[in-house]
Amino acid sequence: MLLFFLFSSWNPFSGGGGESAGRRSQFPPKSLTSKKFSHSAQTSATPRHPIDPLTVGEIHRVRSILSSYEPFLGQFPAIQSMTIDEPDKSRVLGWQSGDPLPPRKAFVIGLLDNQSHLVTIDLESGRVETHEISSGSGYPMLTMEDVAAAVDAAVSYPGLEVSAAARGLSVANLSCISPSPGWFGPEEEGKRLLKVLCYSKQGTPNFYMRPLEGLVMTVDVDRREVIKFSDTGRGIPIPGGANTDYRFHPGPISMEQPQGPSFTVTDGHLVEWANWEFHLKADQRAGFIVSRVVVRDSETGDRRSVMYKGFPSELFVPYMDVDEAWYFKSYMDAGEFGMGATAMPLVPLNDCPRNAHYMDGVFVSADGRPFIQPNMICLFERYAGDSAWRHTELTVSAQLREARAKVTLVARMASSVGNYDYTIDWEFQTDGLIKITVALSGMLMVKATVHDNMNQIENQEETGPMVSENVIGVVHDHFITFHLDMDVDGPNNTFVKVNLVKEENLEGKTPRKSYLKPVRHVAKTEEDARVKLSLYNPSEFHVVNPSRRSRLGNPSGYKVVPEANAASLLDHSDPPQLRSAFTNNQIWVTPYNRSEQWAGGLLTYQSHGDDTLDVWSHRNREIEDKDVVLWYTLGFHHVPCQEDFPIMPTVAASFQLKPVNFFDRNPILRAHPVFEKDLPVCRPSESASAM
């Protein structure tokens, strides 16, 4: 759900707590409205790698080409998306540093006369290569301009002033947000819609805790008018604002690296650290994309491929309330608003430690001009006192103690998608493991109630627990589906389920009655590879290269290791679940197809679910010894509690990509131990010492 602030009389990102305490960014980003650039390095950047994102100069060139393109001469389309049209995978894999770049192309999604135009442009020739008008359901991501105009129409609607006055407020006392409407039937066809909800900002910056319950305006985005106004909650009090202000900031504890970080970033996007190398770039929809992931074999020194591309493909956040003001709250944040578009500058020393390296995003506004999302990605080394490996051996005559410290490299971004903040980490370990973590914080989406104590509620009539007086925390889910184009020692891989099967000790040669035995099952088709996780039917999930064998004959591989997870319990015929059917399983495997990147479909906004991962997978294509993509869905069930009020402590869940028979032995066996002089220092900052 995307937030848009209405009034300049009060800005929740300003004042109180100091620069590092809260994001003091203007929303939308200043560069979006002023079209000026403060980062000169971005304005003069040139691409150095085939998959580098479009530069500022290239974005201007695309706009110029489209402006003179005959179908758009009468009216320039609203640019909903503009990205690099990456070369064919085989061409990227064959490219070496120093080679000429393949032709640079741009892929543009524009909206004109309520139609989605999909356009591919050759930047060198200046020609439009392909132009298709989408015939399927759904619209592209909304732009900030779309949201601003729709909310402005809602604020100007006379009925809002009446509803506000009935609650003792004026419109100037409100902050309004603009959640997406989902899709719930044919009556919503043919127009782009937004729902607008309003809150009281009196007495607190945390207006999310003060909803005008039951007030919903439906706005036609293109006509800029309210087409439905509903206010069913005038008898429900607005929750109080006491104890909801979260703005306070003591001095930080900072991580010091006296000699600086030990990773390098070359040409703006190529990261090298320890035995890892990968390409990292910002993306307006996904947030950031990790590509061309290579690890160096400690035995041979060879650079070995692990993954071609990985990124969060889609999010699904359904709320569990069927009231008129709540039923539509089932958001798909990446495809509807963009994880990169909603990423704010990271807060130094709080989001990322000292010596972090920051990267900007270069994105496109609706008029086709570039804007910069500064410092939206950070890279840093993490030392948390953990061991990479250890063992102590006690004998009669001696004591053997060996341990190695774990130091990792983290790539991080944080998106503030309305009330929720999502922090996504890709963490690289020297033993070849990659840990991917999604952390949630921010504010609950709450529902106002006439009750101020649980004793007044009968028969569990509310759709969530009471978290404060007159405030219900509505139960909801979060699902994040990752696109993982695994290339383990090359593109052609095979998905193997290693099922742990209980065997009975029937012969009775020993007192044991049963044991577990790993049984390998090679997935031949997409249907074979769909996985619903179960503690009572445990398996390991390997992506192997059958053509690359270890000295012992095991296929080289990586396995996906689930940690805490949750599954969607919605009915498969429920409209939100139809659109988000990619959450029907936790693991999918599909053959590589460059057009199949977004699990909810290319055009997600108000889509019907006719172009999703679930639809593609049911073609049941062959996947054995093919170039395959693994999809993994990470899930959270959130039953709110009092500790989540007024702002939630961060909760996180992870999964791992772990080498399995990829190396001949422990790849960090010969790692050096850490001594006192090597350690980073944790100490109070000067500001904290002075307090």
Side-chain angles (χ1 to χ4, degrees):
M1 180 205 54
L2 185 66
L3 168 71
F4 193 89
F5 295 105
L6 297 179
F7 308 114
S8 59
S9 58
W10 176 79
N11 181 354
F13 288 141
S14 65
E19 189 71 35
S20 61
R23 299 178 176 89
R24 295 184 60 133
S25 306
Q26 184 176 344
F27 191 85
K30 183 177 182 181
S31 54
L32 179 63
T33 54
S34 69
K35 305 297 186 290
K36 295 179 180 178
F37 300 97
S38 58
H39 292 223
S40 58
Q42 292 292 353
T43 61
S44 59
T46 58
R48 304 296 181 88
H49 193 284
I51 57 176
D52 277 357
L54 294 175
T55 65
V56 168
E58 289 175 326
I59 292 170
H60 281 304
R61 176 154 174 73
V62 171
R63 188 178 190 279
S64 176
I65 294 167
L66 289 176
S67 297
S68 59
Y69 181 48
E70 185 174 353
F72 299 151
L73 287 178
Q75 185 179 358
F76 191 77
I79 304 302
Q80 313 297 114
S81 172
M82 184 190 297
T83 59
I84 180 70
D85 186 44
E86 294 185 2
D88 288 339
K89 182 176 177 178
S90 59
R91 193 161 188 178
V92 176
L93 292 174
W95 183 86
Q96 299 290 329
S97 180
D99 290 350
L101 289 178
R104 299 275 289 174
K105 299 181 182 181
F107 177 63
V108 178
I109 302 178
L111 198 68
L112 184 63
D113 297 329
N114 209 37
Q115 293 182 313
S116 297
H117 295 254
L118 314 180
V119 182
T120 305
I121 297 170
D122 186 303
L123 290 170
E124 185 174 348
S125 67
R127 292 187 306 104
V128 171
E129 286 198 337
T130 64
H131 180 182
E132 174 189 350
I133 298 176
S134 174
S135 58
S137 70
Y139 295 100
M141 292 188 302
L142 288 184
T143 65
M144 299 300 181
E145 288 86 348
D146 287 330
V147 174
V151 173
D152 187 58
V155 171
S156 304
Y157 188 72
L160 179 60
E161 185 173 357
V162 174
S163 287
R167 294 169 170 87
L169 300 171
S170 69
V171 173
N173 299 136
L174 305 181
S175 281
C176 296
I177 64 172
S178 51
S180 54
W183 177 79
F184 291 90
E187 66 276 6
E188 299 176 352
E189 293 299 310
K191 47 186 175 288
R192 292 191 301 157
L193 304 177
L194 262 179
K195 302 286 188 178
V196 176
L197 314 176
C198 294
Y199 300 75
S200 170
K201 64 183 182 182
Q202 282 188 324
T204 178
N206 193 354
F207 58 85
Y208 286 109
M209 299 301 110
R210 308 200 67 202
L212 277 63
E213 192 56 52
L215 175 63
V216 185
M217 291 171 282
T218 304
V219 179
D220 185 312
V221 176
D222 296 303
R223 291 166 56 191
R224 308 304 202 232
E225 67 179 26
V226 175
I227 61 173
K228 183 178 180 181
F229 183 90
S230 175
D231 186 1
T232 61
R234 291 191 185 182
I236 300 174
I238 298 174
N243 300 315
T244 61
D245 192 337
Y246 52 88
R247 296 175 301 174
F248 177 74
H249 181 62
I253 296 293
S254 61
M255 178 71 77
E256 306 294 340
Q257 289 180 287
Q259 299 182 18
S262 57
F263 60 87
T264 62
V265 180
T266 307
D267 295 334
H269 301 283
L270 185 63
V271 181
E272 294 180 82
W273 174 79
N275 51 344
W276 287 102
E277 177 183 312
F278 57 91
H279 186 278
L280 180 65
K281 66 179 178 182
D283 184 85
Q284 199 158 351
R285 182 166 179 168
F288 68 70
I289 295 175
V290 179
S291 302
R292 298 305 314 278
V293 180
V294 171
V295 66
R296 188 174 63 253
D297 193 313
S298 60
E299 298 285 333
T300 65
D302 293 341
R303 297 168 67 256
R304 299 175 62 187
S305 170
V306 174
M307 182 169 58
Y308 181 72
K309 182 191 290 187
F311 56 91
S313 177
E314 191 53 83
L315 290 80
F316 175 43
V317 187
Y319 281 78
M320 305 305 162
D321 194 309
V322 297
D323 284 359
E324 178 70 20
W326 282 84
Y327 75 92
F328 58 86
K329 295 179 181 178
S330 54
Y331 311 120
M332 298 170 70
D333 290 328
E336 291 177 339
F337 297 110
M339 297 299 285
T342 56
M344 294 294 176
L346 294 161
V347 182
L349 299 184
N350 292 266
D351 283 325
C352 313
R354 197 183 304 277
N355 282 324
H357 173 87
Y358 293 87
M359 298 174 65
D360 300 337
V362 180
F363 299 149
V364 182
S365 57
D367 61 5
R369 292 186 171 92
F371 70 92
I372 293 175
Q373 207 78 303
N375 293 351
M376 62 164 283
I377 301 170
C378 74
L379 282 162
F380 62 91
E381 290 166 295
R382 170 182 282 159
Y383 170 71
D386 297 328
S387 297
W389 64 263
R390 75 167 328 278
H391 183 64
T392 299
E393 191 70 53
L394 296 176
T395 67
V396 174
S397 59
Q399 183 185 80
L400 176 65
R401 292 188 304 161
E402 290 288 339
R404 299 294 183 269
K406 178 189 287 186
V407 181
T408 63
L409 179 70
V410 179
R412 170 175 293 171
M413 65 154 288
S415 295
S416 297
V417 193
N419 56 306
Y420 259 101
D421 287 47
Y422 294 88
T423 300
I424 299 179
D425 286 356
W426 285 65
E427 186 171 7
F428 296 82
Q429 298 184 183
T430 52
D431 60 2
L433 183 145
I434 304 171
K435 184 176 183 179
I436 301 168
T437 301
V438 178
L440 311 178
S441 186
M443 267 69 76
L444 294 172
M445 177 72 73
V446 301
K447 183 176 185 178
T449 176
V450 297
H451 306 301
D452 58 18
N453 191 283
M454 287 297 294
N455 294 330
Q456 301 167 349
I457 300 176
E458 299 179 359
N459 302 320
Q460 297 187 349
E461 63 190 65
E462 299 288 2
T463 52
M466 182 170 285
V467 296
S468 188
E469 289 79 3
N470 305 115
V471 178
I472 295 295
V474 177
V475 175
H476 58 283
D477 291 339
H478 300 264
F479 299 102
I480 305 94
T481 296
F482 285 85
H483 170 113
L484 304 166
D485 183 356
M486 304 299 293
D487 275 12
V488 180
D489 277 323
N492 282 15
N493 289 174
T494 294
F495 181 68
V496 180
K497 286 188 280 190
V498 182
N499 302 317
L500 297 178
V501 179
K502 184 176 74 171
E503 298 283 346
E504 304 291 341
N505 185 21
L506 298 178
E507 296 182 5
K509 294 180 180 179
T510 66
R512 282 288 296 274
K513 301 294 185 182
S514 60
Y515 61 98
L516 296 182
K517 181 179 181 180
V519 178
R520 293 169 58 86
H521 172 74
V522 175
K524 305 287 187 181
T525 65
E526 292 175 277
E527 183 178 6
D528 293 338
R530 297 182 203 129
V531 174
K532 289 180 170 64
L533 297 177
S534 170
L535 291 176
Y536 294 96
N537 293 289
S539 300
E540 289 195 349
F541 310 104
H542 297 191
V543 177
V544 304
N545 187 328
S547 301
R548 175 76 180 250
R549 300 274 173 168
S550 73
R551 73 181 195 282
L552 303 179
N554 290 312
S556 167
Y558 261 70
K559 61 182 177 180
V560 58
V561 182
E563 295 185 6
N565 211 334
S568 178
L569 304 180
L570 297 182
D571 193 285
H572 283 196
S573 63
D574 196 353
Q577 191 63 35
L578 280 172
R579 301 177 66 231
S580 302
F582 51 86
T583 63
N584 289 347
N585 301 296
Q586 286 74 56
I587 295 176
W588 313 70
V589 180
T590 61
Y592 170 79
N593 184 325
R594 62 178 295 174
S595 69
E596 296 175 1
Q597 297 196 67
W598 308 107
L602 177 64
L603 305 178
T604 304
Y605 199 89
Q606 293 179 237
S607 62
H608 303 177
D610 50 5
D611 181 31
T612 68
L613 172 58
D614 179 71
V615 172
W616 310 332
S617 175
H618 276 85
R619 297 169 187 158
N620 205 25
R621 296 160 291 187
E622 294 183 356
I623 58 172
E624 184 181 9
D625 199 13
K626 305 285 186 183
D627 189 357
V628 296
V629 176
L630 184 144
W631 307 76
Y632 184 80
T633 297
L634 192 64
F636 302 76
H637 295 309
H638 189 177
V639 180
C641 60
Q642 291 176 196
E643 289 81 359
D644 292 332
F645 182 90
I647 187 168
M648 295 174 289
T650 297
V651 60
S654 307
F655 68 97
Q656 300 174 2
L657 299 173
K658 185 175 183 179
V660 55
N661 302 317
F662 186 85
F663 301 107
D664 276 342
R665 56 184 58 82
N666 181 348
I668 54 172
L669 183 66
R670 296 182 177 87
H672 294 287
V674 172
F675 300 100
E676 188 70 28
K677 64 181 178 60
D678 303 314
L679 289 176
V681 178
C682 289
R683 66 184 185 192
S685 69
E686 292 181 3
S687 60
S689 301
M691 293 180 66

